[in-house]
Amino acid sequence: MQRHVIWIVLAALGAYATGVIAFTRGEPVSALWMVIAAACVFLVAYRYYALYIARHVMRLDPARPTPALYRTDGLDYVPTDRRVLFGHHFAAIAGAGPLVGPVLAAQMGYLPGTLWILAGVVLAGAVQDFMILFVSMRRDGRSLGELIRMEMGTVPGAIALAGTFMIIVIILAVLALVVVRALADSPWGVFTVAMTVPLAITMGVYTRWIRPGRIGEVSILGFLGLMIALVYGQSVAASPFWGPLFTFTPEQLCWILIGYGAVASILPVWLLLAPRDYLSTFLKIGAIAALAIGIVIMAPPLRMPPLTQFVAGGGPVWSGALFPFLFITIACGAVSGFHALISSGTTPKLIANECDAPLLGYGAMLMEAFVAIMALIGASILDPGVYFAMNSPAAVVGTDPASAAAAVTAMGFPISADTLQQAARDVGEATVISRTGGAPTLAVAMAEIFSHAVGGAAMKAFWYHFAILFEALFILTAVDAGTRAGRFMLQDLIGLAAPSFRRNDTILPGVIATGLCVASWGFFLYQGVTDPLGGVNTLWPVFGISNQMLATVALMLGTVVLFRMKQERFAWVTLIPTVWLVICTITAGLMKLFSPDPAVGFVAHATRFSAAAERGELLAPARSMAAMRQIIRNDWIDASLCAIFLAVVLSLMVYAVRSCLAARRSAAPTANEILPDAVPAE
Amino acid sequence: MRALFRRLRDTARLMVGQPSYDAYCAHMAEHHPDRPPMSRADFFRERERTRFGSGGNGRCC
């Protein structure tokens, strides 16, 4: 009993903190209550739920050799200290998702997002990561597609692979869109981000020929270069000659990114991709740590109300009501299907002992949820008027301070045009109005928090651009690396029909696959950039649905494996989140398809525009018949995409139910675990 | 203190896909004394190629 006392105290403190953020009305709540609530909930969940799953559901066995032990080769399979591996795994799963989603979700107030992140990660997200890590660790560290094939069959495996490729395309498009929105008309931001290319090439040459493998020193040199670019960027932006050269419209940036993505993913990796990966990874970890420290030092009050009137729908940032759209808007941070690919990637090949799995699978995901909570805090400490002016589409708030102030005040968040102009001046930008996509909002919040600790108001502009650089840098690295991953995936998929397409000793297949991959995400990026509602409005829900769909697939695999292990009495552990996610993704997918509200349903929107086009009318924002036709075509493509995602979930559900029933009929366990002695050591 | 520093360094290197070269050398000495191990630079390049090659580890959104 005694050893439980401290955990009971933690649980009580967590419950109290959650009560404070949930029930305080009319007076500002300190952000620290959110930090305390999250920390207590996560610690208690880890101590009890993760260990319960480890001991009773999975029955982890410390004596059983892991792939890192029985296949050890010093390269892919290496038994690794769990603390070192935790850093590796966390760096691989934490990206832009947990930063952007919660910022967008703040339009409903801070409470719904907080509760979903806390409940979602404990019961769904961390369970999924942990479960897939376990399944892969017991099967040689194989990938998600292979695991599904082993446990559910060839057809479900192929369906899951094709679905994964589509998710990658959507992720790349939406991430690139976030960067476009953050850098449009911002010469300071564009200059610093552009400078990362020559810097990375210099670093690449250094690690290639001058001092091979010296990651530490080359990263420090690169970081110094970045800081110089960041400081110098202000003068570049102010210069009458250089400023306009680095000022781009969203459409120009879109084409630059598409061209850049194509070139960067074909170049030798040591030249650009690998060195920029060092910069972005270390900057990401450093900035996240600094943000945590900054929030604790500053203890800012939450200025966003706990709930806004947009809970019922009709919000300007994204369309739809709390259910189901909140649960797909915050995907990463609560539950992210993409993690199933990471948990079945390099991490399971590096685990030294089965009992390290809870820390890596469950623990690292809790850390990511903490990042999501920090992003939500960031969005909530801003003046709600500034938040809505930044995140509403130009079609709603216009482009000048007076119209934005009037529109946002009319929403019920009073703000003056002067305040908006001052906010832009503070961060060294021409305007903050309609800077959608989440990244600029988070950057303003980070500037607020960092300048409180270091430099005061005079440093705000520097910190804002530091935050933009940090976000843009790792998003761009994800875009390059993702394009490469998509290219290899496509080469494999096409290679099923034409085997010669898999060859990498000739240039052509790689170039064609890269071109196809870039064209796919470039198409959605262009659609988002030219979308009058800002693009994020349309693309983020599609991304959320696809990501949750992959999570559903991963959790279904987990359920099937539990049934096949004859552990079905514990299957509720994965069944509860599976059922919840199936309800959310299917409802959201069907609403995106068939909702009669044109702001939500793609088909309704297309029908409205088609009817107008037939009458020869132009509907805003289209200014020509060609634009009308483009909007209609985009709607139908988005609708088809949603339909495909729905089909993937439903078909895999049928296969999962069949596999579970078959496993129940069998008297003995049927799980295809790979036994250590079946594989000869390297 | 030195152990902590080494662990932090290993963590940082593994975050960018570089496992421990010492562990690799130890493995080669124990299991394949007949084969010469790769040099530190070759090991670095081999891991770099694998990280961004076909079947390399992805990263999250």
Side-chain angles (χ1 to χ4, degrees):
Chain A
M1 186 58 212
Q2 243 173 356
R3 64 201 170 96
H4 294 294
V5 169
I6 181 149
W7 297 100
I8 293 171
V9 173
L10 270 178
L13 181 60
Y16 179 73
T18 314
V20 169
I21 51 177
F23 297 117
T24 308
R25 292 289 184 278
E27 51 184 304
V29 175
S30 166
L32 281 188
W33 286 114
M34 242 154 104
V35 174
I36 293 172
C40 293
V41 167
F42 294 167
L43 285 170
V44 172
Y46 180 74
R47 167 63 182 79
Y48 289 98
Y49 196 42
L51 293 196
Y52 169 82
I53 295 174
R55 281 184 198 147
H56 301 285
V57 182
M58 300 174 176
R59 295 196 188 152
L60 295 183
D61 175 6
R64 186 184 161 119
T66 58
L69 285 175
Y70 64 80
R71 290 193 66 149
T72 182
D73 63 0
L75 297 169
D76 291 317
Y77 296 87
V78 188
T80 306
D81 183 292
R82 63 191 172 134
R83 290 159 291 194
V84 173
L85 194 49
F86 182 86
H88 163 80
H89 190 70
F90 176 69
I93 62 172
L99 296 176
V100 173
V103 172
L104 301 181
Q107 83 158 338
M108 294 193 167
Y110 60 79
L111 189 56
T114 307
L115 294 181
W116 164 233
I117 292 171
L118 295 186
V121 73
V122 167
L123 296 175
V127 173
Q128 174 214 255
D129 288 24
F130 185 18
M131 195 69 204
I132 297 300
L133 185 67
F134 162 73
V135 173
S136 177
M137 178 177 76
R138 287 265 170 107
R139 287 161 186 76
D140 266 1
R142 294 201 183 171
S143 68
L144 184 70
E146 290 172 83
L147 298 175
I148 292 180
R149 201 163 54 225
M150 284 172 82
E151 298 297 334
M152 290 167 66
T154 320
V155 179
I159 296 175
L161 261 190
T164 310
F165 177 73
M166 280 190 294
I167 293 169
I168 289 184
V169 167
I170 294 293
I171 285 180
L172 294 180
V174 84
L175 289 183
L177 182 63
V178 168
V179 172
V180 167
R181 292 283 164 217
L183 293 183
D185 302 313
S186 169
W188 189 347
V190 171
F191 173 76
T192 44
V193 173
M195 285 312 286
T196 61
V197 176
L199 258 175
I201 291 178
T202 314
M203 289 167 67
V205 169
Y206 187 93
T207 42
R208 185 76 180 180
W209 288 303
I210 303 173
R211 302 260 289 167
R214 300 293 174 162
I215 294 172
E217 53 195 65
V218 82
S219 300
I220 291 170
L221 289 176
F223 182 74
L224 291 177
L226 273 188
M227 291 302 110
I228 293 170
L230 200 52
V231 173
Y232 199 64
Q234 188 164 24
S235 333
V236 170
S239 146
F241 176 73
W242 293 105
L245 275 185
F246 285 99
T247 308
F248 295 107
T249 64
E251 268 166 76
Q252 287 169 322
L253 277 174
C254 164
W255 289 112
I256 293 173
L257 271 185
I258 289 174
Y260 164 80
V263 173
S265 56
I266 295 178
L267 285 180
V269 288
W270 58 265
L271 186 60
L272 184 58
L273 210 43
R276 237 209 0 222
D277 186 31
Y278 310 152
L279 281 182
S280 75
T281 304
F282 300 144
L283 199 60
K284 174 172 80 183
I285 300 296
I288 287 174
L291 185 59
I293 296 169
I295 288 177
V296 172
I297 293 178
M298 187 179 173
L302 302 171
R303 297 170 74 184
M304 181 67 79
L307 294 165
T308 69
Q309 73 269 33
F310 301 126
V311 166
V317 185
W318 41 277
S319 316
L322 188 142
F323 178 81
F325 291 106
L326 174 76
F327 306 100
I328 56 167
T329 301
I330 302 185
C332 309
V335 47
S336 166
F338 214 77
H339 291 192
L341 302 179
I342 316 281
S343 293
S344 59
T346 48
T347 309
K349 301 187 181 100
L350 299 169
I351 296 180
N353 187 309
E354 283 205 344
C355 290
D356 296 347
L359 176 70
L360 302 164
Y362 204 93
M365 180 60 197
L366 291 178
M367 275 285 274
E368 178 174 282
F370 206 79
V371 174
I373 289 282
M374 293 200 298
L376 191 55
I377 289 176
S380 307
I381 64 167
L382 298 178
D383 183 334
V386 172
Y387 171 85
F388 282 102
M390 289 189 77
N391 287 288
S392 301
V396 175
V397 293
T399 47
D400 65 284
S403 69
V408 174
T409 305
M411 286 177 201
F413 304 98
I415 189 147
S416 69
D418 289 343
T419 317
L420 286 176
Q421 256 170 334
Q422 186 56 41
R425 261 198 304 277
D426 283 348
V427 297
E429 287 285 291
T431 174
V432 291
I433 293 155
S434 193
R435 303 301 290 261
T436 55
T441 309
L442 185 65
V444 170
M446 285 172 77
E448 196 85 35
I449 292 166
F450 287 164
S451 64
H452 178 87
V454 182
M459 286 276 281
K460 238 185 195 174
F462 173 84
W463 285 123
Y464 172 83
H465 289 91
F466 171 82
I468 289 286
L469 172 70
F470 137 80
E471 292 171 291
L473 190 59
F474 76 76
I475 287 182
L476 287 182
T477 310
V479 168
D480 302 347
T483 304
R484 261 186 96 79
R487 161 203 154 176
F488 288 122
M489 217 176 230
L490 207 55
Q491 271 183 279
D492 275 351
L493 279 173
I494 300 175
L496 293 175
S500 65
F501 208 77
R502 286 196 185 144
R503 288 174 52 186
N504 280 316
D505 48 346
T506 56
I507 296 174
L508 203 58
V511 172
I512 294 175
T514 305
L516 283 174
C517 189
V518 173
S520 314
W521 64 255
F523 171 81
F524 289 103
L525 173 61
Y526 185 77
Q527 176 193 327
V529 166
T530 50
D531 182 342
L533 287 176
V536 175
N537 217 318
T538 314
L539 273 185
W540 192 265
V542 179
F543 157 67
I545 291 174
S546 69
N547 203 0
Q548 303 298 57
M549 173 204 85
L550 190 58
T552 317
V553 171
L555 284 163
M556 286 196 274
L557 170 69
T559 310
V560 168
V561 168
L562 288 180
F563 269 85
R564 293 175 67 128
M565 289 170 78
K566 291 310 235 182
Q567 287 284 72
E568 64 251 37
R569 65 185 181 285
F570 294 110
W572 56 268
V573 167
T574 48
L575 261 179
I576 292 173
T578 309
V579 169
W580 173 246
L581 286 181
V582 165
I583 293 173
C584 285
T585 41
I586 292 196
T587 318
L590 289 177
M591 285 175 80
K592 276 283 158 203
L593 275 176
F594 300 120
S595 166
D597 177 2
V600 175
F602 290 127
V603 173
H605 194 260
T607 315
R608 184 164 159 256
F609 273 72
S610 295
E614 253 167 54
R615 292 193 302 270
E617 279 174 39
L618 293 181
L619 288 183
R623 294 208 192 87
S624 66
M625 265 305 146
M628 292 286 285
R629 277 194 296 277
Q630 191 199 344
I631 290 173
I632 296 164
R633 193 173 60 233
N634 288 348
D635 278 333
W636 284 110
I637 289 172
D638 292 337
S640 327
L641 212 58
C642 277
I644 294 174
F645 288 147
L646 282 176
V648 169
V649 172
L650 290 172
S651 61
L652 284 177
M653 199 161 77
V654 172
Y655 280 104
V657 169
R658 276 176 38 182
S659 302
C660 289
L661 290 178
R664 263 181 80 92
R665 281 194 298 273
S666 158
T670 44
N672 287 317
E673 292 190 357
I674 294 177
L675 297 170
D677 43 2
V679 186
E682 258 286 309
Chain B
M1 195 63 209
R2 272 184 73 161
L4 179 71
F5 176 75
R6 184 173 312 138
R7 201 158 62 228
L8 284 177
R9 194 197 56 195
D10 283 351
T11 307
R13 293 182 69 93
L14 193 63
M15 274 182 188
V16 292
Q18 294 286 339
S20 156
Y21 179 66
D22 296 337
Y24 164 75
C25 287
H27 166 78
M28 291 303 281
E30 193 182 333
H31 295 277
H32 309 287
D34 49 320
R35 277 192 255 158
M38 285 184 271
S39 73
R40 194 181 279 274
D42 287 341
F43 177 79
F44 170 74
R45 283 174 193 156
E46 197 275 341
R47 288 290 86 198
E48 192 174 75
R49 265 200 311 279
T50 310
R51 179 170 169 83
F52 297 101
S54 159
N57 194 20
R59 73 203 63 225
C60 194
C61 33

